[in-house]
């Protein structure tokens, strides 16, 4: 379980407790990547990690962004499957078992399960902008995804590490997974109100960068050439 978090001291205790309940009976670890927080997040995580051995606190000395935080968490993770969830508490962990089940019951080429939000809790402007951005992305990338902004995702770690990385890459994970030949399944999840604090992401700054990222991913998908089932050939021909 990887949680990117910046200044989320008010939201993390309840969120981590919900994750522990949702994953009860499973072998798991929770990695919180503290992205240069300036509030009580470092102190809080230090106290919580000392009480719960399955909780790990990884810290960026300064803020690097959500994509970098997720990538750091994946690199530190020890499980075969990585779940991601936003640190603001708007994603509900109760949907994680359904996502893991969808991954387990899928065919071998199903390597990712993504949440798609229902009843999104955001301002009208953000919802309107998100709807337009999603439509543009689907039309250009043909990734079959209605909502890439949901932080709830389950991906096999070995595939995660093969994906081309860039800042903002977490918004294009379904397309990048399909670029590697993997399939994606989807689970509807219910969005929640943020309990404490405020969003760290603005509307227009994301839009400006997102257009460049979108065309960058389009270029990456067009330039991918898959190698079909390579085999090592030994001197005796076997």
């Amino acid at each position: 379980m990887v949680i990117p978090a910046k200044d989320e001291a008010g939201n993390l205790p309840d969120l981590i407790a919900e994750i522990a309940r949702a994953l009860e009976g499973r072998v798991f670890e929770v990695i919180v990547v503290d992205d240069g927080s300036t509030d009580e997040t470092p102190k809080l995580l230090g106290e919580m990690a000392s009480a719960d051995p399955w909780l790990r606190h990884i810290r960026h000395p300064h803020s690097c962004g959500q994509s970098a935080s997720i990538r750091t968490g994946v690199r530190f993770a020890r499980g075969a499957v990585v779940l991601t969830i936003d640190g603001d508490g708007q994603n509900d962990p109760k949907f994680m078992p359904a996502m893991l089940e969808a991954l387990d019951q899928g065919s071998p080429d199903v390597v990712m399960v993504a949440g798609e939000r229902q009843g999104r809790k955001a301002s009208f402007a953000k919802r309107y902008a998100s709807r337009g951005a999603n439509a543009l992305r689907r039309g250009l990338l043909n990734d079959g995804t209605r909502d890439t902004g949901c932080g709830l995702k389950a991906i096999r770690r070995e595939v995660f590490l093969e994906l081309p990385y860039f800042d903002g890459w977490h918004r294009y994970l379904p397309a990048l997974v399909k670029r590697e030949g993997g399939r994606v399944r989807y689970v509807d999840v219910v969005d929640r109100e943020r309990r404490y604090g405020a969003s760290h992401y603005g509307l227009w700054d994301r839009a400006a960068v997102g257009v460049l990222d979108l065309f960058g991913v389009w270029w990456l998908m067009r330039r991918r050439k898959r190698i079909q089932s390579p085999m090592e050939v030994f001197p005796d021909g076997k």
Side-chain angles (χ1 to χ4, degrees):
M1 189 76 237
V2 171
I3 309 173
K6 180 183 178 182
D7 296 337
E8 297 289 2
N11 292 306
L12 285 172
D14 288 343
L15 178 61
I16 292 171
E18 288 179 312
I19 291 170
R21 290 194 294 270
L23 297 179
E24 187 175 4
R26 299 177 182 267
V27 177
F28 69 93
E29 64 179 359
V30 176
I31 300 175
V32 181
V33 181
D34 169 14
D35 190 35
S37 295
T38 57
D39 66 352
E40 294 297 309
T41 296
K43 178 182 177 182
L44 170 72
L45 290 173
E47 294 171 352
M48 294 182 68
S50 64
D52 295 310
W54 43 261
L55 178 61
R56 300 170 65 191
H57 174 202
I58 310 299
R59 178 168 170 80
H60 288 164
H62 53 83
S63 181
C64 300
Q66 187 171 353
S67 284
S69 298
I70 293 173
R71 187 167 186 253
T72 292
V74 173
R75 293 175 69 182
F76 274 88
R78 294 173 291 201
V81 173
V82 174
L83 282 155
T84 67
I85 192 170
D86 290 344
D88 58 12
Q90 288 190 259
N91 302 147
D92 193 334
K94 74 178 182 181
F95 295 99
M96 295 192 304
M99 299 180 73
L100 291 171
E101 184 177 353
L103 190 64
D104 290 340
Q105 293 182 354
S107 57
D109 60 344
V110 174
V111 298
M112 174 179 174
V113 176
E116 293 191 318
R117 292 169 292 186
Q118 303 289 313
R120 187 180 173 194
K121 302 298 186 295
S123 68
F124 173 79
K126 282 191 175 182
R127 284 184 280 120
Y128 186 80
S130 179
R131 192 176 299 121
N134 279 321
L136 178 61
R137 188 206 67 254
R138 285 197 306 272
L140 196 61
L141 303 184
N142 191 30
D143 59 5
T145 303
R146 175 172 52 79
D147 174 24
T148 61
C150 180
L152 267 173
K153 294 180 175 69
I155 311 181
R156 300 193 188 282
R157 182 175 180 269
E158 61 180 11
V159 174
F160 227 144
L161 293 173
E162 291 178 0
L163 302 181
Y165 172 76
F166 55 91
D167 189 28
W169 129 117
H170 68 279
R171 301 187 186 98
Y172 299 94
L173 290 177
L176 294 173
V177 164
K178 289 185 176 183
R179 178 181 182 270
E180 299 299 318
R183 290 178 57 206
V184 182
R185 299 182 71 178
Y186 301 94
V187 171
D188 286 342
V189 302
V190 177
D191 201 30
R192 305 191 295 190
E193 296 280 0
R194 170 185 270 274
R195 294 170 181 168
Y196 303 100
S199 173
H200 304 295
Y201 305 102
L203 180 59
W204 301 114
D205 54 346
R206 277 196 303 181
V209 175
V211 171
L212 295 176
D213 289 344
L214 177 59
F215 282 98
V217 174
W218 173 81
W219 182 86
L220 283 171
M221 294 184 74
R222 286 177 60 87
R223 299 300 298 169
R224 177 72 162 100
K225 183 176 288 186
R226 289 196 193 95
I227 302 171
Q228 300 294 327
S229 303
M231 296 185 301
E232 183 176 1
V233 179
F234 295 94
D236 59 2
K238 294 182 180 179

